[in-house]
Amino acid sequence: QQYREIGPVAKELREQVWARFKAASSVVNKRHQQHFEQLRAREEENLAKTTALCERVEAIAKEENKGAGDWEKHTKEIIVIQNEWKTIGFAPQKMNVKIFERFRATCDDFFGRKNAHYKERRAQYSENADKKRELIAKAKELMDSTEWRKTADKLIELQKEWKTIGQVPHKLGDELWKEFREACDHFFDARTAAFADVHKEEDENLKKKQEVIARLQALLDEGKDEGDLQKKVQALSDEFFAIGHVPMKQKEKTYQAFRTLLDKFYKELHVNSSRRRMDNFRSNLRQVATRGGDALDTERGRLMRRYEQLKNDINTYENNLGFLNVSSKKGNSLIEEMKRKVQRLRDELEETRQKIKAVDAENKDQEAVQSKE
């Protein structure tokens, strides 16, 4: 503008001056144009990045949330994406607001559903806690009764009903279970004291288990062939665990005596780890059963989930084996390794199945004890 307002110069210099001014202007205009082209390119790149983040968060929002673990996992993933969003600059002006609204709407929807889920869960927890308090009140009404048979049946029914009630917060659940268990134990302890002579069968079981322990000790002292000894020890172990309950005061002492001999056998003869894990599992299972409540059911649920996972893993490996090329040495080696992996999974699957059977047997045993009482 200033150039136009300045008057003319000498004719012989006019073209030279204009050419010089025009060349300088062209450089400036070109840089100006390049700047905004680069800016638009960055904005388009930002749009692509934010669009990708929208798609990622939309995919997460569509996933099923089966429990608190899923909700927390997906929440963390979305928060990571939100932080990543903040590091990206503006998109083109006409799309900047739209892409942000798309992203925010998905996040708001997810967190809105999460809040609704936890609100509903808190309401369910409160309802479950009230139901358990009702059972506690009923148990306390019965705890001083001397109608042994009738009251025992009622308390057993209350215990069964307790198992059908859903979850409550962990700490509160422990407190409620302790209160309920104390009321039940008060009655059953009083009944045990009143009928102390009904433990004849348990005394007989104690003698049987002590005989098994003595036979096991003699067998280990004798120290015959390792393979033959292992079979005999396993037979005695099965016999020991097949014997019913012993008096409560002798239970731990008797078991520890048997366990000590088995440990000696494991140490000296190196019995395979799978069998030892099963014996340890059955041992720990009896400890789990003493906790009462849903302890055995919870353990069975955990084992069933592991059982299904192992089956899925085996199917996956077996399917993958069909796609491998065995023409090369490397390919054949990979197949052999996968076959070994499948066999290990099958061994663990069978071990898990045996553990589930052990839990079912313990559950049945506990129900028989309760019925007898």
Side-chain angles (χ1 to χ4, degrees), residues 5-249:
E5 292 174 354
I6 298 173
V9 299
K11 185 176 182 180
E12 64 273 15
L13 297 176
R14 188 176 303 167
E15 290 300 325
Q16 178 185 350
V17 174
W18 170 246
R20 179 182 174 189
F21 180 77
K22 183 178 180 182
S25 299
S26 296
V27 172
V28 174
N29 290 334
K30 185 175 182 180
R31 290 172 58 193
H32 176 273
Q33 182 180 0
Q34 288 175 344
H35 167 74
F36 282 99
E37 286 176 351
Q38 291 172 356
L39 182 61
R40 285 192 293 271
R42 285 197 298 270
E43 289 177 345
E44 290 295 336
E45 183 180 344
N46 292 340
L47 177 60
K49 290 180 180 179
T50 52
T51 300
L53 294 186
C54 284
E55 292 171 352
R56 284 170 56 189
V57 80
E58 286 165 357
I60 294 172
K62 289 179 181 178
E63 292 184 16
E64 183 180 3
N65 297 287
K66 296 181 179 179
D70 287 343
W71 281 110
E72 293 310 310
K73 172 177 174 289
H74 293 149
T75 295
K76 291 178 180 179
E77 291 174 351
I78 290 178
I79 289 175
V80 169
I81 294 174
Q82 288 177 329
N83 290 332
E84 186 177 347
W85 180 283
K86 296 175 183 178
T87 66
I88 301 173
F90 291 103
Q93 186 175 2
K94 63 180 180 180
M95 291 297 298
N96 196 59
V97 173
K98 290 182 180 180
I99 195 68
F100 177 70
E101 288 179 347
R102 174 183 173 183
F103 182 75
R104 185 176 63 182
T106 305
C107 293
D108 289 347
D109 174 69
F110 172 83
F111 287 109
R113 288 187 291 110
K114 178 185 175 183
N115 290 337
H117 165 77
Y118 278 96
K119 183 178 180 180
E120 180 180 349
R121 191 173 75 159
R122 285 192 295 271
Q124 186 62 56
Y125 279 173
S126 178
E127 182 180 341
N128 292 341
D130 289 341
K131 290 180 180 179
K132 290 191 173 186
R133 291 188 182 99
E134 290 179 5
L135 295 186
I136 291 171
K138 291 179 180 179
K140 287 184 175 180
E141 290 177 359
L142 297 169
M143 62 188 289
D144 292 320
S145 173
T146 55
E147 295 181 338
W148 306 117
R149 184 66 176 271
K150 182 178 179 180
T151 304
D153 291 341
K154 288 181 179 180
L155 286 174
I156 290 172
E157 286 302 314
L158 291 181
Q159 291 172 344
K160 291 180 179 179
E161 185 177 351
W162 183 280
K163 292 182 179 181
T164 66
I165 300 174
Q167 292 182 328
V168 298
H170 182 72
K171 183 177 180 180
L172 176 60
D174 289 345
E175 293 174 356
L176 293 175
W177 169 247
K178 180 181 178 182
E179 191 174 358
F180 179 70
R181 181 64 183 268
E182 286 176 350
C184 294
D185 286 349
H186 178 86
F187 167 80
F188 287 115
D189 289 345
R191 188 187 67 164
T192 299
F195 296 94
D197 58 339
V198 299
H199 297 301
K200 181 180 178 181
E201 181 181 353
E202 291 182 348
D203 292 336
E204 292 176 355
N205 290 338
L206 176 61
K207 292 179 181 178
K208 291 178 182 178
K209 288 197 173 187
Q210 289 172 339
E211 290 174 0
V212 172
I213 292 172
R215 287 157 57 196
L216 178 60
Q217 180 66 66
L219 188 62
L220 295 179
D221 291 342
E222 188 177 353
K224 289 186 176 181
D225 175 71
E226 179 176 331
D228 182 60
L229 180 60
Q230 181 174 337
K231 292 179 181 179
K232 291 182 178 180
V233 169
Q234 183 56 51
L236 288 175
S237 177
D238 293 339
E239 182 179 347
F240 182 89
F241 286 109
I243 299 172
H245 289 278
V246 300
M248 184 62 66
K249 292 182 179 180

Side-chain angles (χ1 to χ4, degrees), residues 52 61-62 118 136 170 183 202 214 227 265 281 309 322 329-330 333 354:
K62 289 179 181 178
Y118 278 96
I136 291 171
H170 182 72
E202 291 182 348
F265 170 71
F281 178 79
Q309 180 63 49
K329 182 178 180 180
K330 183 177 180 181
S333 175
Q354 292 299 327

